[in-house]
Amino acid sequence: SFILTGGSDGKVCIWEGKDDTDITTVTVGEKVYAVAFQGGRFFAATDENTIRIHTFPDGVGDGLVTRFTSPCRCFCITEDGSLLIAGADDFKIKVISMEENECICLYSEHQAPILSVSFDPSKEFA
């Protein structure tokens, strides 16, 4: 089990458990707004207004998930890795089918940046 964090220094920190004192760091941008681990790789939303996939634990870029016109502050990946939902400062919410590489933009009533997104366990609702 690992703990991953991202910060305003552009680094993703990787701990091998809560008692780990030998932290691995990977620089993925100038700022990391959100990070998640799924399927043996990690995903990071950075100051490039993108969510990118990185190999674990070395952090080599392994693909682009989506791009926004402003920073993506939050995203969530389903446990099986089939769907990703992301919200950004441009008030947009995107749902991405990771298997089919399709993106649906949800239009909401939000008149401000999206700060949190999630799926219900059945993946029927966001």
Side-chain angles (χ1 to χ4, degrees), residues 62-91:
D62 196 27
L64 173 72
V65 176
T66 193
R67 181 180 314 273
F68 287 92
T69 59
S70 61
C72 171
R73 303 282 178 177
C74 56
F75 66 93
C76 177
I77 305 168
T78 56
E79 191 172 318
D80 65 3
S82 63
L83 295 172
L84 182 144
I85 186 169
D89 284 0
D90 61 7
F91 313 167

PDB file of all heavy atoms in Angstrom, residues 62-91:
ATOM      1  N   ASP A  62       3.014   8.676 -19.485  1.00  0.00           N
ATOM      2  CA  ASP A  62       2.474   7.504 -20.173  1.00  0.00           C
ATOM      3  C   ASP A  62       1.150   7.808 -20.858  1.00  0.00           C
ATOM      4  O   ASP A  62       0.347   6.930 -21.083  1.00  0.00           O
ATOM      5  CB  ASP A  62       2.312   6.357 -19.167  1.00  0.00           C
ATOM      6  CG  ASP A  62       2.122   5.006 -19.825  1.00  0.00           C
ATOM      7  OD1 ASP A  62       2.604   4.826 -20.955  1.00  0.00           O
ATOM      8  OD2 ASP A  62       1.477   4.129 -19.211  1.00  0.00           O
ATOM      9  N   GLY A  63       0.888   9.086 -21.133  1.00  0.00           N
ATOM     10  CA  GLY A  63      -0.324   9.432 -21.859  1.00  0.00           C
ATOM     11  C   GLY A  63      -1.056  10.624 -21.279  1.00  0.00           C
ATOM     12  O   GLY A  63      -0.879  10.987 -20.119  1.00  0.00           O
ATOM     13  N   LEU A  64      -1.884  11.222 -22.113  1.00  0.00           N
ATOM     14  CA  LEU A  64      -2.723  12.355 -21.745  1.00  0.00           C
ATOM     15  C   LEU A  64      -4.162  11.880 -21.628  1.00  0.00           C
ATOM     16  O   LEU A  64      -4.661  11.188 -22.517  1.00  0.00           O
ATOM     17  CB  LEU A  64      -2.626  13.444 -22.818  1.00  0.00           C
ATOM     18  CG  LEU A  64      -3.555  14.634 -22.687  1.00  0.00           C
ATOM     19  CD1 LEU A  64      -3.126  15.518 -21.531  1.00  0.00           C
ATOM     20  CD2 LEU A  64      -3.578  15.433 -23.980  1.00  0.00           C
ATOM     21  N   VAL A  65      -4.820  12.225 -20.521  1.00  0.00           N
ATOM     22  CA  VAL A  65      -6.224  11.846 -20.336  1.00  0.00           C
ATOM     23  C   VAL A  65      -7.128  12.921 -20.905  1.00  0.00           C
ATOM     24  O   VAL A  65      -7.997  12.664 -21.718  1.00  0.00           O
ATOM     25  CB  VAL A  65      -6.547  11.605 -18.845  1.00  0.00           C
ATOM     26  CG1 VAL A  65      -8.025  11.306 -18.666  1.00  0.00           C
ATOM     27  CG2 VAL A  65      -5.714  10.477 -18.290  1.00  0.00           C
ATOM     28  N   THR A  66      -6.940  14.185 -20.461  1.00  0.00           N
ATOM     29  CA  THR A  66      -7.768  15.284 -20.947  1.00  0.00           C
ATOM     30  C   THR A  66      -7.075  16.610 -20.691  1.00  0.00           C
ATOM     31  O   THR A  66      -6.099  16.691 -19.948  1.00  0.00           O
ATOM     32  CB  THR A  66      -9.174  15.265 -20.299  1.00  0.00           C
ATOM     33  OG1 THR A  66     -10.035  16.160 -21.003  1.00  0.00           O
ATOM     34  CG2 THR A  66      -9.123  15.643 -18.832  1.00  0.00           C
ATOM     35  N   ARG A  67      -7.624  17.643 -21.304  1.00  0.00           N
ATOM     36  CA  ARG A  67      -7.087  18.990 -21.192  1.00  0.00           C
ATOM     37  C   ARG A  67      -8.236  19.957 -20.886  1.00  0.00           C
ATOM     38  O   ARG A  67      -9.351  19.778 -21.379  1.00  0.00           O
ATOM     39  CB  ARG A  67      -6.438  19.355 -22.531  1.00  0.00           C
ATOM     40  CG  ARG A  67      -5.812  20.687 -22.632  1.00  0.00           C
ATOM     41  CD  ARG A  67      -5.211  20.923 -24.015  1.00  0.00           C
ATOM     42  NE  ARG A  67      -4.429  19.815 -24.526  1.00  0.00           N
ATOM     43  CZ  ARG A  67      -3.135  19.613 -24.287  1.00  0.00           C
ATOM     44  NH1 ARG A  67      -2.477  20.451 -23.523  1.00  0.00           N
ATOM     45  NH2 ARG A  67      -2.511  18.585 -24.806  1.00  0.00           N
ATOM     46  N   PHE A  68      -7.955  20.947 -20.064  1.00  0.00           N
ATOM     47  CA  PHE A  68      -8.915  22.005 -19.738  1.00  0.00           C
ATOM     48  C   PHE A  68      -8.328  23.351 -20.159  1.00  0.00           C
ATOM     49  O   PHE A  68      -7.160  23.429 -20.533  1.00  0.00           O
ATOM     50  CB  PHE A  68      -9.199  22.026 -18.229  1.00  0.00           C
ATOM     51  CG  PHE A  68     -10.045  20.889 -17.735  1.00  0.00           C
ATOM     52  CD1 PHE A  68      -9.463  19.719 -17.273  1.00  0.00           C
ATOM     53  CD2 PHE A  68     -11.427  20.983 -17.719  1.00  0.00           C
ATOM     54  CE1 PHE A  68     -10.226  18.668 -16.806  1.00  0.00           C
ATOM     55  CE2 PHE A  68     -12.213  19.933 -17.259  1.00  0.00           C
ATOM     56  CZ  PHE A  68     -11.603  18.776 -16.795  1.00  0.00           C
ATOM     57  N   THR A  69      -9.124  24.416 -20.056  1.00  0.00           N
ATOM     58  CA  THR A  69      -8.621  25.761 -20.355  1.00  0.00           C
ATOM     59  C   THR A  69      -8.109  26.466 -19.112  1.00  0.00           C
ATOM     60  O   THR A  69      -7.613  27.586 -19.190  1.00  0.00           O
ATOM     61  CB  THR A  69      -9.717  26.626 -21.015  1.00  0.00           C
ATOM     62  OG1 THR A  69     -10.833  26.716 -20.127  1.00  0.00           O
ATOM     63  CG2 THR A  69     -10.157  26.026 -22.341  1.00  0.00           C
ATOM     64  N   SER A  70      -8.237  25.809 -17.963  1.00  0.00           N
ATOM     65  CA  SER A  70      -7.726  26.342 -16.695  1.00  0.00           C
ATOM     66  C   SER A  70      -7.392  25.141 -15.797  1.00  0.00           C
ATOM     67  O   SER A  70      -7.686  24.004 -16.160  1.00  0.00           O
ATOM     68  CB  SER A  70      -8.760  27.259 -16.043  1.00  0.00           C
ATOM     69  OG  SER A  70      -9.942  26.557 -15.766  1.00  0.00           O
ATOM     70  N   PRO A  71      -6.796  25.375 -14.631  1.00  0.00           N
ATOM     71  CA  PRO A  71      -6.376  24.239 -13.799  1.00  0.00           C
ATOM     72  C   PRO A  71      -7.514  23.293 -13.407  1.00  0.00           C
ATOM     73  O   PRO A  71      -8.610  23.718 -13.069  1.00  0.00           O
ATOM     74  CB  PRO A  71      -5.795  24.910 -12.554  1.00  0.00           C
ATOM     75  CG  PRO A  71      -5.316  26.232 -13.037  1.00  0.00           C
ATOM     76  CD  PRO A  71      -6.339  26.655 -14.069  1.00  0.00           C
ATOM     77  N   CYS A  72      -7.215  22.002 -13.478  1.00  0.00           N
ATOM     78  CA  CYS A  72      -8.115  20.958 -13.001  1.00  0.00           C
ATOM     79  C   CYS A  72      -7.798  20.751 -11.529  1.00  0.00           C
ATOM     80  O   CYS A  72      -6.700  20.335 -11.185  1.00  0.00           O
ATOM     81  CB  CYS A  72      -7.882  19.672 -13.792  1.00  0.00           C
ATOM     82  SG  CYS A  72      -8.761  18.254 -13.131  1.00  0.00           S
ATOM     83  N   ARG A  73      -8.742  21.061 -10.653  1.00  0.00           N
ATOM     84  CA  ARG A  73      -8.509  20.985  -9.204  1.00  0.00           C
ATOM     85  C   ARG A  73      -8.873  19.637  -8.593  1.00  0.00           C
ATOM     86  O   ARG A  73      -8.469  19.336  -7.480  1.00  0.00           O
ATOM     87  CB  ARG A  73      -9.318  22.063  -8.493  1.00  0.00           C
ATOM     88  CG  ARG A  73      -9.045  23.456  -8.947  1.00  0.00           C
ATOM     89  CD  ARG A  73      -7.778  23.977  -8.381  1.00  0.00           C
ATOM     90  NE  ARG A  73      -7.534  25.330  -8.899  1.00  0.00           N
ATOM     91  CZ  ARG A  73      -6.534  26.054  -8.535  1.00  0.00           C
ATOM     92  NH1 ARG A  73      -5.672  25.598  -7.655  1.00  0.00           N
ATOM     93  NH2 ARG A  73      -6.355  27.250  -9.054  1.00  0.00           N
ATOM     94  N   CYS A  74      -9.656  18.839  -9.324  1.00  0.00           N
ATOM     95  CA  CYS A  74     -10.111  17.579  -8.731  1.00  0.00           C
ATOM     96  C   CYS A  74     -10.456  16.576  -9.821  1.00  0.00           C
ATOM     97  O   CYS A  74     -10.879  16.949 -10.907  1.00  0.00           O
ATOM     98  CB  CYS A  74     -11.332  17.833  -7.851  1.00  0.00           C
ATOM     99  SG  CYS A  74     -12.681  18.652  -8.727  1.00  0.00           S
ATOM    100  N   PHE A  75     -10.236  15.316  -9.496  1.00  0.00           N
ATOM    101  CA  PHE A  75     -10.703  14.246 -10.363  1.00  0.00           C
ATOM    102  C   PHE A  75     -10.818  12.966  -9.552  1.00  0.00           C
ATOM    103  O   PHE A  75     -10.260  12.852  -8.462  1.00  0.00           O
ATOM    104  CB  PHE A  75      -9.818  14.065 -11.605  1.00  0.00           C
ATOM    105  CG  PHE A  75      -8.420  13.593 -11.338  1.00  0.00           C
ATOM    106  CD1 PHE A  75      -8.105  12.249 -11.363  1.00  0.00           C
ATOM    107  CD2 PHE A  75      -7.402  14.499 -11.089  1.00  0.00           C
ATOM    108  CE1 PHE A  75      -6.815  11.805 -11.132  1.00  0.00           C
ATOM    109  CE2 PHE A  75      -6.107  14.071 -10.862  1.00  0.00           C
ATOM    110  CZ  PHE A  75      -5.810  12.722 -10.880  1.00  0.00           C
ATOM    111  N   CYS A  76     -11.555  12.031 -10.091  1.00  0.00           N
ATOM    112  CA  CYS A  76     -11.817  10.768  -9.411  1.00  0.00           C
ATOM    113  C   CYS A  76     -11.848   9.668 -10.471  1.00  0.00           C
ATOM    114  O   CYS A  76     -12.399   9.871 -11.553  1.00  0.00           O
ATOM    115  CB  CYS A  76     -13.155  10.861  -8.686  1.00  0.00           C
ATOM    116  SG  CYS A  76     -13.672   9.363  -7.860  1.00  0.00           S
ATOM    117  N   ILE A  77     -11.261   8.528 -10.145  1.00  0.00           N
ATOM    118  CA  ILE A  77     -11.236   7.385 -11.049  1.00  0.00           C
ATOM    119  C   ILE A  77     -12.018   6.255 -10.392  1.00  0.00           C
ATOM    120  O   ILE A  77     -11.841   5.993  -9.206  1.00  0.00           O
ATOM    121  CB  ILE A  77      -9.796   6.928 -11.321  1.00  0.00           C
ATOM    122  CG1 ILE A  77      -8.956   8.077 -11.847  1.00  0.00           C
ATOM    123  CG2 ILE A  77      -9.768   5.761 -12.298  1.00  0.00           C
ATOM    124  CD1 ILE A  77      -7.481   7.793 -11.866  1.00  0.00           C
ATOM    125  N   THR A  78     -12.858   5.584 -11.166  1.00  0.00           N
ATOM    126  CA  THR A  78     -13.581   4.447 -10.608  1.00  0.00           C
ATOM    127  C   THR A  78     -12.592   3.349 -10.236  1.00  0.00           C
ATOM    128  O   THR A  78     -11.486   3.272 -10.766  1.00  0.00           O
ATOM    129  CB  THR A  78     -14.621   3.893 -11.595  1.00  0.00           C
ATOM    130  OG1 THR A  78     -13.961   3.547 -12.822  1.00  0.00           O
ATOM    131  CG2 THR A  78     -15.733   4.898 -11.854  1.00  0.00           C
ATOM    132  N   GLU A  79     -13.008   2.499  -9.307  1.00  0.00           N
ATOM    133  CA  GLU A  79     -12.131   1.447  -8.800  1.00  0.00           C
ATOM    134  C   GLU A  79     -11.612   0.529  -9.911  1.00  0.00           C
ATOM    135  O   GLU A  79     -10.465   0.097  -9.886  1.00  0.00           O
ATOM    136  CB  GLU A  79     -12.876   0.624  -7.745  1.00  0.00           C
ATOM    137  CG  GLU A  79     -11.984  -0.306  -6.982  1.00  0.00           C
ATOM    138  CD  GLU A  79     -12.714  -0.964  -5.827  1.00  0.00           C
ATOM    139  OE1 GLU A  79     -13.474  -0.277  -5.125  1.00  0.00           O
ATOM    140  OE2 GLU A  79     -12.500  -2.169  -5.643  1.00  0.00           O
ATOM    141  N   ASP A  80     -12.464   0.274 -10.914  1.00  0.00           N
ATOM    142  CA  ASP A  80     -12.036  -0.593 -12.013  1.00  0.00           C
ATOM    143  C   ASP A  80     -11.281   0.158 -13.104  1.00  0.00           C
ATOM    144  O   ASP A  80     -10.824  -0.437 -14.081  1.00  0.00           O
ATOM    145  CB  ASP A  80     -13.229  -1.342 -12.617  1.00  0.00           C
ATOM    146  CG  ASP A  80     -14.242  -0.417 -13.285  1.00  0.00           C
ATOM    147  OD1 ASP A  80     -14.029   0.810 -13.356  1.00  0.00           O
ATOM    148  OD2 ASP A  80     -15.277  -0.938 -13.751  1.00  0.00           O
ATOM    149  N   GLY A  81     -11.153   1.475 -12.966  1.00  0.00           N
ATOM    150  CA  GLY A  81     -10.399   2.276 -13.921  1.00  0.00           C
ATOM    151  C   GLY A  81     -11.108   2.573 -15.220  1.00  0.00           C
ATOM    152  O   GLY A  81     -10.516   3.117 -16.149  1.00  0.00           O
ATOM    153  N   SER A  82     -12.396   2.270 -15.304  1.00  0.00           N
ATOM    154  CA  SER A  82     -13.115   2.456 -16.563  1.00  0.00           C
ATOM    155  C   SER A  82     -13.550   3.900 -16.811  1.00  0.00           C
ATOM    156  O   SER A  82     -13.674   4.316 -17.959  1.00  0.00           O
ATOM    157  CB  SER A  82     -14.329   1.532 -16.628  1.00  0.00           C
ATOM    158  OG  SER A  82     -15.254   1.857 -15.599  1.00  0.00           O
ATOM    159  N   LEU A  83     -13.780   4.668 -15.737  1.00  0.00           N
ATOM    160  CA  LEU A  83     -14.251   6.044 -15.878  1.00  0.00           C
ATOM    161  C   LEU A  83     -13.433   6.990 -15.018  1.00  0.00           C
ATOM    162  O   LEU A  83     -13.011   6.638 -13.918  1.00  0.00           O
ATOM    163  CB  LEU A  83     -15.717   6.168 -15.451  1.00  0.00           C
ATOM    164  CG  LEU A  83     -16.769   5.441 -16.281  1.00  0.00           C
ATOM    165  CD1 LEU A  83     -18.123   5.519 -15.578  1.00  0.00           C
ATOM    166  CD2 LEU A  83     -16.858   6.044 -17.675  1.00  0.00           C
ATOM    167  N   LEU A  84     -13.246   8.196 -15.527  1.00  0.00           N
ATOM    168  CA  LEU A  84     -12.608   9.264 -14.774  1.00  0.00           C
ATOM    169  C   LEU A  84     -13.495  10.485 -14.893  1.00  0.00           C
ATOM    170  O   LEU A  84     -14.001  10.783 -15.980  1.00  0.00           O
ATOM    171  CB  LEU A  84     -11.216   9.557 -15.349  1.00  0.00           C
ATOM    172  CG  LEU A  84     -10.392  10.621 -14.653  1.00  0.00           C
ATOM    173  CD1 LEU A  84      -8.911  10.234 -14.681  1.00  0.00           C
ATOM    174  CD2 LEU A  84     -10.567  11.989 -15.257  1.00  0.00           C
ATOM    175  N   ILE A  85     -13.721  11.171 -13.778  1.00  0.00           N
ATOM    176  CA  ILE A  85     -14.473  12.420 -13.787  1.00  0.00           C
ATOM    177  C   ILE A  85     -13.545  13.501 -13.259  1.00  0.00           C
ATOM    178  O   ILE A  85     -12.763  13.269 -12.339  1.00  0.00           O
ATOM    179  CB  ILE A  85     -15.770  12.339 -12.956  1.00  0.00           C
ATOM    180  CG1 ILE A  85     -16.595  13.617 -13.114  1.00  0.00           C
ATOM    181  CG2 ILE A  85     -15.496  12.012 -11.510  1.00  0.00           C
ATOM    182  CD1 ILE A  85     -18.000  13.531 -12.539  1.00  0.00           C
ATOM    183  N   ALA A  86     -13.611  14.684 -13.891  1.00  0.00           N
ATOM    184  CA  ALA A  86     -12.705  15.766 -13.512  1.00  0.00           C
ATOM    185  C   ALA A  86     -13.439  17.099 -13.558  1.00  0.00           C
ATOM    186  O   ALA A  86     -14.331  17.308 -14.374  1.00  0.00           O
ATOM    187  CB  ALA A  86     -11.518  15.807 -14.466  1.00  0.00           C
ATOM    188  N   GLY A  87     -13.050  17.998 -12.650  1.00  0.00           N
ATOM    189  CA  GLY A  87     -13.618  19.343 -12.613  1.00  0.00           C
ATOM    190  C   GLY A  87     -12.503  20.370 -12.602  1.00  0.00           C
ATOM    191  O   GLY A  87     -11.417  20.119 -12.077  1.00  0.00           O
ATOM    192  N   ALA A  88     -12.783  21.548 -13.187  1.00  0.00           N
ATOM    193  CA  ALA A  88     -11.720  22.540 -13.336  1.00  0.00           C
ATOM    194  C   ALA A  88     -12.200  23.945 -12.994  1.00  0.00           C
ATOM    195  O   ALA A  88     -13.390  24.188 -12.779  1.00  0.00           O
ATOM    196  CB  ALA A  88     -11.180  22.513 -14.762  1.00  0.00           C
ATOM    197  N   ASP A  89     -11.241  24.854 -12.976  1.00  0.00           N
ATOM    198  CA  ASP A  89     -11.533  26.258 -12.692  1.00  0.00           C
ATOM    199  C   ASP A  89     -12.353  26.924 -13.793  1.00  0.00           C
ATOM    200  O   ASP A  89     -12.888  28.004 -13.595  1.00  0.00           O
ATOM    201  CB  ASP A  89     -10.231  27.042 -12.503  1.00  0.00           C
ATOM    202  CG  ASP A  89      -9.588  26.793 -11.152  1.00  0.00           C
ATOM    203  OD1 ASP A  89     -10.142  26.013 -10.350  1.00  0.00           O
ATOM    204  OD2 ASP A  89      -8.512  27.373 -10.896  1.00  0.00           O
ATOM    205  N   ASP A  90     -12.446  26.303 -14.980  1.00  0.00           N
ATOM    206  CA  ASP A  90     -13.245  26.868 -16.072  1.00  0.00           C
ATOM    207  C   ASP A  90     -14.723  26.478 -15.965  1.00  0.00           C
ATOM    208  O   ASP A  90     -15.479  26.666 -16.916  1.00  0.00           O
ATOM    209  CB  ASP A  90     -12.676  26.471 -17.429  1.00  0.00           C
ATOM    210  CG  ASP A  90     -12.645  24.965 -17.670  1.00  0.00           C
ATOM    211  OD1 ASP A  90     -13.191  24.197 -16.846  1.00  0.00           O
ATOM    212  OD2 ASP A  90     -12.062  24.552 -18.687  1.00  0.00           O
ATOM    213  N   PHE A  91     -15.127  25.945 -14.796  1.00  0.00           N
ATOM    214  CA  PHE A  91     -16.505  25.563 -14.466  1.00  0.00           C
ATOM    215  C   PHE A  91     -16.959  24.294 -15.196  1.00  0.00           C
ATOM    216  O   PHE A  91     -18.117  23.931 -15.148  1.00  0.00           O
ATOM    217  CB  PHE A  91     -17.527  26.668 -14.750  1.00  0.00           C
ATOM    218  CG  PHE A  91     -17.195  28.039 -14.267  1.00  0.00           C
ATOM    219  CD1 PHE A  91     -17.928  29.120 -14.709  1.00  0.00           C
ATOM    220  CD2 PHE A  91     -16.151  28.301 -13.387  1.00  0.00           C
ATOM    221  CE1 PHE A  91     -17.643  30.413 -14.278  1.00  0.00           C
ATOM    222  CE2 PHE A  91     -15.860  29.582 -12.950  1.00  0.00           C
ATOM    223  CZ  PHE A  91     -16.611  30.644 -13.401  1.00  0.00           C
TER     224      PHE A  91
END
